[in-house]
Amino acid sequence: MILVTGATGTIGSHLVPLLAESGADVRAMSRRQGFDFEDAESLKRAVDGVDTVFLLSAPGKTAEHDLALLEVAQHVRKVVKISAIHTGEPGFELTSSWHLPGEQALRSSDLMWTILRPTTFASNALAWLPQIQAGEPVPSYYGDGTNGVVDPRDIAAVAAKALLTDDHDNQTYTLTGPELLSTAQQVDILSEVLGKPLTTMDISPEQARTSMLAQGMSPDSVDFMLKGFEIVRNGGNAVVTDHVEHVLGRPPATFRNWAQDTLNTLTAKS
């Protein structure tokens, strides 16, 4: 039995069908199923009879939720944890504070484990749909900075391999796509795929701060977001690895692949 936390999310919604197609018994954990990371009894029910866990916790309370589940899952054989790129590196203290406790708990445990550290998701581009629909420029917070944008379906496929085989036990993988792309380059690809002109508009850190505060975001959250923007602007997330290909035996999907496959959704909402 494999427990999939975050089963209805961006990764989990692709992972659950992959596991089911393989013939694995899958238990989907989400609030919709009555499970709650902050309810110890529900966590015990979630892991009852489970052999393997896919662990994905929401940002902010990631460490608390990871440790809560690991506390009641000491009987399981293996855990595959979703972490984040650059965890533990200088300059990434906040996201590291979310993920490092869970990573460290796994490494020091008697469990088999795999840690997956994905970079920026291709599906983050769906946040641009309001601008695309309205014919407005897509906001660009990163300047010419680039990301190794990864298709979440590839993250799910790597997770499935780690869950279903022992080939990737005690490994940490940084998951990226095959190329570095700026926001402008991503928007150019969407323009070609959708067959409509799209543009970007550079947003300065000062403009971003004013806008986010006006939307009701807390100053701490704004500072975190701006720090992330700055890192990408300065080339700090210009990372491409071969880890997806190493696990799957094929190159990772491109952003264009993702956009073409998501064309119906984009077209319907644009």
Side-chain angles (χ1 to χ4, degrees), residues 58-92:
K61 290 194 172 183
T62 306
E64 176 185 332
H65 291 176
D66 281 357
L67 296 178
L69 190 138
L70 292 175
E71 176 65 26
V72 299
Q74 297 179 33
H75 66 282
V76 307
R77 188 176 68 88
K78 179 190 297 188
V79 173
V80 175
K81 172 178 162 51
I82 291 291
S83 183
I85 192 170
H86 303 300
T87 293
E89 297 178 17
F92 297 86

PDB file of all heavy atoms in Angstrom, residues 58-92:
ATOM      1  N   ALA A  58       2.435  21.239   2.444  1.00  0.00           N
ATOM      2  CA  ALA A  58       2.223  22.591   1.925  1.00  0.00           C
ATOM      3  C   ALA A  58       3.291  23.551   2.444  1.00  0.00           C
ATOM      4  O   ALA A  58       3.783  23.401   3.561  1.00  0.00           O
ATOM      5  CB  ALA A  58       0.841  23.090   2.333  1.00  0.00           C
ATOM      6  N   PRO A  59       3.666  24.564   1.628  1.00  0.00           N
ATOM      7  CA  PRO A  59       4.639  25.561   2.080  1.00  0.00           C
ATOM      8  C   PRO A  59       4.194  26.242   3.366  1.00  0.00           C
ATOM      9  O   PRO A  59       3.006  26.382   3.635  1.00  0.00           O
ATOM     10  CB  PRO A  59       4.670  26.562   0.918  1.00  0.00           C
ATOM     11  CG  PRO A  59       4.233  25.781  -0.275  1.00  0.00           C
ATOM     12  CD  PRO A  59       3.218  24.801   0.248  1.00  0.00           C
ATOM     13  N   GLY A  60       5.176  26.642   4.148  1.00  0.00           N
ATOM     14  CA  GLY A  60       4.878  27.337   5.393  1.00  0.00           C
ATOM     15  C   GLY A  60       4.927  26.409   6.580  1.00  0.00           C
ATOM     16  O   GLY A  60       5.698  26.609   7.511  1.00  0.00           O
ATOM     17  N   LYS A  61       4.094  25.353   6.540  1.00  0.00           N
ATOM     18  CA  LYS A  61       4.075  24.381   7.634  1.00  0.00           C
ATOM     19  C   LYS A  61       4.702  23.055   7.218  1.00  0.00           C
ATOM     20  O   LYS A  61       4.459  22.025   7.836  1.00  0.00           O
ATOM     21  CB  LYS A  61       2.643  24.155   8.116  1.00  0.00           C
ATOM     22  CG  LYS A  61       2.053  25.365   8.845  1.00  0.00           C
ATOM     23  CD  LYS A  61       0.797  24.993   9.589  1.00  0.00           C
ATOM     24  CE  LYS A  61       0.311  26.138  10.467  1.00  0.00           C
ATOM     25  NZ  LYS A  61      -0.878  25.768  11.263  1.00  0.00           N
ATOM     26  N   THR A  62       5.543  23.111   6.182  1.00  0.00           N
ATOM     27  CA  THR A  62       6.125  21.881   5.647  1.00  0.00           C
ATOM     28  C   THR A  62       6.850  21.080   6.710  1.00  0.00           C
ATOM     29  O   THR A  62       6.622  19.868   6.863  1.00  0.00           O
ATOM     30  CB  THR A  62       7.106  22.212   4.508  1.00  0.00           C
ATOM     31  OG1 THR A  62       6.437  23.007   3.530  1.00  0.00           O
ATOM     32  CG2 THR A  62       7.626  20.948   3.864  1.00  0.00           C
ATOM     33  N   ALA A  63       7.754  21.746   7.454  1.00  0.00           N
ATOM     34  CA  ALA A  63       8.554  21.020   8.444  1.00  0.00           C
ATOM     35  C   ALA A  63       7.659  20.383   9.502  1.00  0.00           C
ATOM     36  O   ALA A  63       7.814  19.202   9.841  1.00  0.00           O
ATOM     37  CB  ALA A  63       9.563  21.963   9.095  1.00  0.00           C
ATOM     38  N   GLU A  64       6.721  21.164  10.018  1.00  0.00           N
ATOM     39  CA  GLU A  64       5.810  20.657  11.052  1.00  0.00           C
ATOM     40  C   GLU A  64       5.027  19.449  10.550  1.00  0.00           C
ATOM     41  O   GLU A  64       4.881  18.442  11.250  1.00  0.00           O
ATOM     42  CB  GLU A  64       4.862  21.782  11.464  1.00  0.00           C
ATOM     43  CG  GLU A  64       3.794  21.393  12.457  1.00  0.00           C
ATOM     44  CD  GLU A  64       2.816  22.537  12.714  1.00  0.00           C
ATOM     45  OE1 GLU A  64       3.211  23.716  12.578  1.00  0.00           O
ATOM     46  OE2 GLU A  64       1.653  22.236  13.040  1.00  0.00           O
ATOM     47  N   HIS A  65       4.509  19.551   9.324  1.00  0.00           N
ATOM     48  CA  HIS A  65       3.695  18.471   8.779  1.00  0.00           C
ATOM     49  C   HIS A  65       4.538  17.251   8.421  1.00  0.00           C
ATOM     50  O   HIS A  65       4.122  16.107   8.659  1.00  0.00           O
ATOM     51  CB  HIS A  65       2.929  18.971   7.557  1.00  0.00           C
ATOM     52  CG  HIS A  65       1.858  19.953   7.897  1.00  0.00           C
ATOM     53  ND1 HIS A  65       1.104  20.599   6.945  1.00  0.00           N
ATOM     54  CD2 HIS A  65       1.406  20.410   9.094  1.00  0.00           C
ATOM     55  CE1 HIS A  65       0.231  21.406   7.536  1.00  0.00           C
ATOM     56  NE2 HIS A  65       0.399  21.305   8.839  1.00  0.00           N
ATOM     57  N   ASP A  66       5.719  17.487   7.841  1.00  0.00           N
ATOM     58  CA  ASP A  66       6.607  16.357   7.542  1.00  0.00           C
ATOM     59  C   ASP A  66       6.910  15.555   8.801  1.00  0.00           C
ATOM     60  O   ASP A  66       6.804  14.317   8.822  1.00  0.00           O
ATOM     61  CB  ASP A  66       7.930  16.861   6.951  1.00  0.00           C
ATOM     62  CG  ASP A  66       7.843  17.232   5.478  1.00  0.00           C
ATOM     63  OD1 ASP A  66       6.767  17.055   4.882  1.00  0.00           O
ATOM     64  OD2 ASP A  66       8.856  17.701   4.934  1.00  0.00           O
ATOM     65  N   LEU A  67       7.318  16.254   9.837  1.00  0.00           N
ATOM     66  CA  LEU A  67       7.727  15.571  11.068  1.00  0.00           C
ATOM     67  C   LEU A  67       6.547  14.881  11.742  1.00  0.00           C
ATOM     68  O   LEU A  67       6.710  13.804  12.331  1.00  0.00           O
ATOM     69  CB  LEU A  67       8.391  16.561  12.015  1.00  0.00           C
ATOM     70  CG  LEU A  67       9.709  17.178  11.494  1.00  0.00           C
ATOM     71  CD1 LEU A  67      10.262  18.190  12.483  1.00  0.00           C
ATOM     72  CD2 LEU A  67      10.738  16.098  11.197  1.00  0.00           C
ATOM     73  N   ALA A  68       5.359  15.491  11.649  1.00  0.00           N
ATOM     74  CA  ALA A  68       4.177  14.865  12.239  1.00  0.00           C
ATOM     75  C   ALA A  68       3.867  13.536  11.560  1.00  0.00           C
ATOM     76  O   ALA A  68       3.550  12.540  12.218  1.00  0.00           O
ATOM     77  CB  ALA A  68       2.979  15.806  12.149  1.00  0.00           C
ATOM     78  N   LEU A  69       3.965  13.505  10.243  1.00  0.00           N
ATOM     79  CA  LEU A  69       3.668  12.259   9.551  1.00  0.00           C
ATOM     80  C   LEU A  69       4.764  11.226   9.792  1.00  0.00           C
ATOM     81  O   LEU A  69       4.472  10.046  10.024  1.00  0.00           O
ATOM     82  CB  LEU A  69       3.507  12.504   8.049  1.00  0.00           C
ATOM     83  CG  LEU A  69       2.964  11.273   7.302  1.00  0.00           C
ATOM     84  CD1 LEU A  69       1.922  11.667   6.277  1.00  0.00           C
ATOM     85  CD2 LEU A  69       4.079  10.471   6.647  1.00  0.00           C
ATOM     86  N   LEU A  70       6.023  11.658   9.754  1.00  0.00           N
ATOM     87  CA  LEU A  70       7.106  10.706   9.990  1.00  0.00           C
ATOM     88  C   LEU A  70       7.034  10.099  11.385  1.00  0.00           C
ATOM     89  O   LEU A  70       7.422   8.949  11.592  1.00  0.00           O
ATOM     90  CB  LEU A  70       8.459  11.389   9.771  1.00  0.00           C
ATOM     91  CG  LEU A  70       8.764  11.792   8.320  1.00  0.00           C
ATOM     92  CD1 LEU A  70      10.063  12.577   8.253  1.00  0.00           C
ATOM     93  CD2 LEU A  70       8.826  10.568   7.422  1.00  0.00           C
ATOM     94  N   GLU A  71       6.515  10.866  12.332  1.00  0.00           N
ATOM     95  CA  GLU A  71       6.392  10.361  13.703  1.00  0.00           C
ATOM     96  C   GLU A  71       5.467   9.154  13.774  1.00  0.00           C
ATOM     97  O   GLU A  71       5.724   8.206  14.534  1.00  0.00           O
ATOM     98  CB  GLU A  71       5.865  11.478  14.611  1.00  0.00           C
ATOM     99  CG  GLU A  71       5.600  11.064  16.042  1.00  0.00           C
ATOM    100  CD  GLU A  71       6.859  10.650  16.797  1.00  0.00           C
ATOM    101  OE1 GLU A  71       7.955  11.124  16.436  1.00  0.00           O
ATOM    102  OE2 GLU A  71       6.740   9.850  17.756  1.00  0.00           O
ATOM    103  N   VAL A  72       4.393   9.165  12.995  1.00  0.00           N
ATOM    104  CA  VAL A  72       3.429   8.054  13.053  1.00  0.00           C
ATOM    105  C   VAL A  72       3.707   7.006  11.975  1.00  0.00           C
ATOM    106  O   VAL A  72       2.985   6.006  11.892  1.00  0.00           O
ATOM    107  CB  VAL A  72       1.979   8.568  12.912  1.00  0.00           C
ATOM    108  CG1 VAL A  72       1.637   9.516  14.051  1.00  0.00           C
ATOM    109  CG2 VAL A  72       1.747   9.231  11.564  1.00  0.00           C
ATOM    110  N   ALA A  73       4.732   7.241  11.146  1.00  0.00           N
ATOM    111  CA  ALA A  73       5.003   6.332  10.022  1.00  0.00           C
ATOM    112  C   ALA A  73       6.318   5.583  10.196  1.00  0.00           C
ATOM    113  O   ALA A  73       6.935   5.173   9.214  1.00  0.00           O
ATOM    114  CB  ALA A  73       5.016   7.120   8.721  1.00  0.00           C
ATOM    115  N   GLN A  74       6.718   5.388  11.442  1.00  0.00           N
ATOM    116  CA  GLN A  74       8.007   4.735  11.675  1.00  0.00           C
ATOM    117  C   GLN A  74       8.011   3.266  11.267  1.00  0.00           C
ATOM    118  O   GLN A  74       9.082   2.657  11.131  1.00  0.00           O
ATOM    119  CB  GLN A  74       8.398   4.883  13.145  1.00  0.00           C
ATOM    120  CG  GLN A  74       8.608   6.334  13.570  1.00  0.00           C
ATOM    121  CD  GLN A  74       8.984   6.473  15.040  1.00  0.00           C
ATOM    122  OE1 GLN A  74       9.658   5.612  15.601  1.00  0.00           O
ATOM    123  NE2 GLN A  74       8.535   7.544  15.666  1.00  0.00           N
ATOM    124  N   HIS A  75       6.830   2.707  11.051  1.00  0.00           N
ATOM    125  CA  HIS A  75       6.748   1.303  10.648  1.00  0.00           C
ATOM    126  C   HIS A  75       6.880   1.118   9.148  1.00  0.00           C
ATOM    127  O   HIS A  75       7.020  -0.019   8.679  1.00  0.00           O
ATOM    128  CB  HIS A  75       5.394   0.732  11.081  1.00  0.00           C
ATOM    129  CG  HIS A  75       4.237   1.367  10.365  1.00  0.00           C
ATOM    130  ND1 HIS A  75       3.745   2.616  10.708  1.00  0.00           N
ATOM    131  CD2 HIS A  75       3.489   0.945   9.306  1.00  0.00           C
ATOM    132  CE1 HIS A  75       2.742   2.926   9.909  1.00  0.00           C
ATOM    133  NE2 HIS A  75       2.564   1.935   9.057  1.00  0.00           N
ATOM    134  N   VAL A  76       6.794   2.186   8.361  1.00  0.00           N
ATOM    135  CA  VAL A  76       6.820   2.021   6.910  1.00  0.00           C
ATOM    136  C   VAL A  76       8.236   1.693   6.444  1.00  0.00           C
ATOM    137  O   VAL A  76       9.220   1.873   7.179  1.00  0.00           O
ATOM    138  CB  VAL A  76       6.286   3.270   6.171  1.00  0.00           C
ATOM    139  CG1 VAL A  76       4.911   3.660   6.688  1.00  0.00           C
ATOM    140  CG2 VAL A  76       7.260   4.432   6.244  1.00  0.00           C
ATOM    141  N   ARG A  77       8.347   1.230   5.207  1.00  0.00           N
ATOM    142  CA  ARG A  77       9.643   0.832   4.670  1.00  0.00           C
ATOM    143  C   ARG A  77      10.355   1.978   3.972  1.00  0.00           C
ATOM    144  O   ARG A  77      11.572   2.112   4.045  1.00  0.00           O
ATOM    145  CB  ARG A  77       9.452  -0.326   3.679  1.00  0.00           C
ATOM    146  CG  ARG A  77      10.735  -0.963   3.180  1.00  0.00           C
ATOM    147  CD  ARG A  77      10.427  -2.151   2.296  1.00  0.00           C
ATOM    148  NE  ARG A  77       9.814  -1.733   1.047  1.00  0.00           N
ATOM    149  CZ  ARG A  77      10.511  -1.391  -0.038  1.00  0.00           C
ATOM    150  NH1 ARG A  77      11.825  -1.414  -0.033  1.00  0.00           N
ATOM    151  NH2 ARG A  77       9.875  -1.039  -1.147  1.00  0.00           N
ATOM    152  N   LYS A  78       9.576   2.827   3.275  1.00  0.00           N
ATOM    153  CA  LYS A  78      10.190   3.835   2.419  1.00  0.00           C
ATOM    154  C   LYS A  78       9.355   5.103   2.386  1.00  0.00           C
ATOM    155  O   LYS A  78       8.114   5.052   2.412  1.00  0.00           O
ATOM    156  CB  LYS A  78      10.330   3.296   0.993  1.00  0.00           C
ATOM    157  CG  LYS A  78      10.938   4.282   0.007  1.00  0.00           C
ATOM    158  CD  LYS A  78      10.837   3.804  -1.432  1.00  0.00           C
ATOM    159  CE  LYS A  78      11.608   2.537  -1.635  1.00  0.00           C
ATOM    160  NZ  LYS A  78      11.684   2.166  -3.078  1.00  0.00           N
ATOM    161  N   VAL A  79      10.055   6.256   2.269  1.00  0.00           N
ATOM    162  CA  VAL A  79       9.398   7.550   2.092  1.00  0.00           C
ATOM    163  C   VAL A  79      10.075   8.277   0.932  1.00  0.00           C
ATOM    164  O   VAL A  79      11.306   8.369   0.879  1.00  0.00           O
ATOM    165  CB  VAL A  79       9.488   8.421   3.364  1.00  0.00           C
ATOM    166  CG1 VAL A  79       8.937   9.829   3.094  1.00  0.00           C
ATOM    167  CG2 VAL A  79       8.728   7.771   4.513  1.00  0.00           C
ATOM    168  N   VAL A  80       9.275   8.793   0.023  1.00  0.00           N
ATOM    169  CA  VAL A  80       9.765   9.654  -1.061  1.00  0.00           C
ATOM    170  C   VAL A  80       9.233  11.048  -0.769  1.00  0.00           C
ATOM    171  O   VAL A  80       8.017  11.270  -0.755  1.00  0.00           O
ATOM    172  CB  VAL A  80       9.285   9.162  -2.438  1.00  0.00           C
ATOM    173  CG1 VAL A  80       9.696  10.153  -3.537  1.00  0.00           C
ATOM    174  CG2 VAL A  80       9.841   7.776  -2.729  1.00  0.00           C
ATOM    175  N   LYS A  81      10.154  11.973  -0.490  1.00  0.00           N
ATOM    176  CA  LYS A  81       9.770  13.324  -0.068  1.00  0.00           C
ATOM    177  C   LYS A  81       9.997  14.352  -1.174  1.00  0.00           C
ATOM    178  O   LYS A  81      11.056  14.385  -1.794  1.00  0.00           O
ATOM    179  CB  LYS A  81      10.567  13.750   1.163  1.00  0.00           C
ATOM    180  CG  LYS A  81      10.349  15.238   1.517  1.00  0.00           C
ATOM    181  CD  LYS A  81      11.072  15.692   2.743  1.00  0.00           C
ATOM    182  CE  LYS A  81      11.194  17.218   2.789  1.00  0.00           C
ATOM    183  NZ  LYS A  81       9.924  17.946   2.579  1.00  0.00           N
ATOM    184  N   ILE A  82       8.999  15.195  -1.366  1.00  0.00           N
ATOM    185  CA  ILE A  82       9.173  16.362  -2.223  1.00  0.00           C
ATOM    186  C   ILE A  82       9.788  17.481  -1.405  1.00  0.00           C
ATOM    187  O   ILE A  82       9.238  17.909  -0.384  1.00  0.00           O
ATOM    188  CB  ILE A  82       7.833  16.831  -2.819  1.00  0.00           C
ATOM    189  CG1 ILE A  82       7.313  15.805  -3.829  1.00  0.00           C
ATOM    190  CG2 ILE A  82       8.002  18.196  -3.490  1.00  0.00           C
ATOM    191  CD1 ILE A  82       8.114  15.704  -5.107  1.00  0.00           C
ATOM    192  N   SER A  83      10.940  17.949  -1.847  1.00  0.00           N
ATOM    193  CA  SER A  83      11.629  19.073  -1.220  1.00  0.00           C
ATOM    194  C   SER A  83      11.658  20.222  -2.229  1.00  0.00           C
ATOM    195  O   SER A  83      10.709  20.398  -2.983  1.00  0.00           O
ATOM    196  CB  SER A  83      13.035  18.622  -0.792  1.00  0.00           C
ATOM    197  OG  SER A  83      13.727  19.648  -0.123  1.00  0.00           O
ATOM    198  N   ALA A  84      12.709  20.999  -2.257  1.00  0.00           N
ATOM    199  CA  ALA A  84      12.820  22.122  -3.187  1.00  0.00           C
ATOM    200  C   ALA A  84      14.272  22.314  -3.583  1.00  0.00           C
ATOM    201  O   ALA A  84      15.191  22.048  -2.799  1.00  0.00           O
ATOM    202  CB  ALA A  84      12.271  23.407  -2.566  1.00  0.00           C
ATOM    203  N   ILE A  85      14.478  22.796  -4.784  1.00  0.00           N
ATOM    204  CA  ILE A  85      15.813  23.077  -5.276  1.00  0.00           C
ATOM    205  C   ILE A  85      16.552  24.022  -4.312  1.00  0.00           C
ATOM    206  O   ILE A  85      15.923  24.890  -3.713  1.00  0.00           O
ATOM    207  CB  ILE A  85      15.749  23.678  -6.704  1.00  0.00           C
ATOM    208  CG1 ILE A  85      17.139  23.715  -7.353  1.00  0.00           C
ATOM    209  CG2 ILE A  85      15.085  25.037  -6.702  1.00  0.00           C
ATOM    210  CD1 ILE A  85      17.118  24.067  -8.823  1.00  0.00           C
ATOM    211  N   HIS A  86      17.834  23.811  -4.137  1.00  0.00           N
ATOM    212  CA  HIS A  86      18.729  24.634  -3.309  1.00  0.00           C
ATOM    213  C   HIS A  86      18.530  24.454  -1.806  1.00  0.00           C
ATOM    214  O   HIS A  86      19.098  25.224  -1.022  1.00  0.00           O
ATOM    215  CB  HIS A  86      18.585  26.129  -3.635  1.00  0.00           C
ATOM    216  CG  HIS A  86      18.837  26.487  -5.063  1.00  0.00           C
ATOM    217  ND1 HIS A  86      20.039  26.240  -5.688  1.00  0.00           N
ATOM    218  CD2 HIS A  86      18.035  27.082  -5.994  1.00  0.00           C
ATOM    219  CE1 HIS A  86      19.973  26.667  -6.944  1.00  0.00           C
ATOM    220  NE2 HIS A  86      18.778  27.170  -7.161  1.00  0.00           N
ATOM    221  N   THR A  87      17.750  23.471  -1.393  1.00  0.00           N
ATOM    222  CA  THR A  87      17.564  23.267   0.053  1.00  0.00           C
ATOM    223  C   THR A  87      18.920  23.070   0.741  1.00  0.00           C
ATOM    224  O   THR A  87      19.742  22.277   0.298  1.00  0.00           O
ATOM    225  CB  THR A  87      16.666  22.047   0.315  1.00  0.00           C
ATOM    226  OG1 THR A  87      15.344  22.347  -0.148  1.00  0.00           O
ATOM    227  CG2 THR A  87      16.600  21.713   1.797  1.00  0.00           C
ATOM    228  N   GLY A  88      19.136  23.847   1.812  1.00  0.00           N
ATOM    229  CA  GLY A  88      20.370  23.767   2.571  1.00  0.00           C
ATOM    230  C   GLY A  88      21.477  24.667   2.089  1.00  0.00           C
ATOM    231  O   GLY A  88      22.530  24.769   2.732  1.00  0.00           O
ATOM    232  N   GLU A  89      21.248  25.377   0.964  1.00  0.00           N
ATOM    233  CA  GLU A  89      22.283  26.250   0.420  1.00  0.00           C
ATOM    234  C   GLU A  89      22.149  27.669   0.982  1.00  0.00           C
ATOM    235  O   GLU A  89      21.041  28.118   1.308  1.00  0.00           O
ATOM    236  CB  GLU A  89      22.193  26.300  -1.108  1.00  0.00           C
ATOM    237  CG  GLU A  89      22.441  24.968  -1.789  1.00  0.00           C
ATOM    238  CD  GLU A  89      22.303  25.045  -3.298  1.00  0.00           C
ATOM    239  OE1 GLU A  89      22.338  26.178  -3.841  1.00  0.00           O
ATOM    240  OE2 GLU A  89      22.158  23.993  -3.940  1.00  0.00           O
ATOM    241  N   PRO A  90      23.262  28.399   1.095  1.00  0.00           N
ATOM    242  CA  PRO A  90      23.201  29.801   1.545  1.00  0.00           C
ATOM    243  C   PRO A  90      22.304  30.631   0.627  1.00  0.00           C
ATOM    244  O   PRO A  90      22.336  30.472  -0.599  1.00  0.00           O
ATOM    245  CB  PRO A  90      24.663  30.258   1.446  1.00  0.00           C
ATOM    246  CG  PRO A  90      25.464  29.007   1.525  1.00  0.00           C
ATOM    247  CD  PRO A  90      24.641  27.944   0.852  1.00  0.00           C
ATOM    248  N   GLY A  91      21.515  31.503   1.237  1.00  0.00           N
ATOM    249  CA  GLY A  91      20.605  32.346   0.470  1.00  0.00           C
ATOM    250  C   GLY A  91      19.210  31.769   0.342  1.00  0.00           C
ATOM    251  O   GLY A  91      18.298  32.438  -0.138  1.00  0.00           O
ATOM    252  N   PHE A  92      19.045  30.516   0.750  1.00  0.00           N
ATOM    253  CA  PHE A  92      17.743  29.851   0.638  1.00  0.00           C
ATOM    254  C   PHE A  92      17.266  29.400   2.016  1.00  0.00           C
ATOM    255  O   PHE A  92      16.702  28.311   2.173  1.00  0.00           O
ATOM    256  CB  PHE A  92      17.835  28.666  -0.323  1.00  0.00           C
ATOM    257  CG  PHE A  92      18.175  29.064  -1.731  1.00  0.00           C
ATOM    258  CD1 PHE A  92      19.497  29.222  -2.114  1.00  0.00           C
ATOM    259  CD2 PHE A  92      17.182  29.313  -2.658  1.00  0.00           C
ATOM    260  CE1 PHE A  92      19.833  29.609  -3.406  1.00  0.00           C
ATOM    261  CE2 PHE A  92      17.496  29.700  -3.957  1.00  0.00           C
ATOM    262  CZ  PHE A  92      18.831  29.848  -4.325  1.00  0.00           C
TER     263      PHE A  92
END
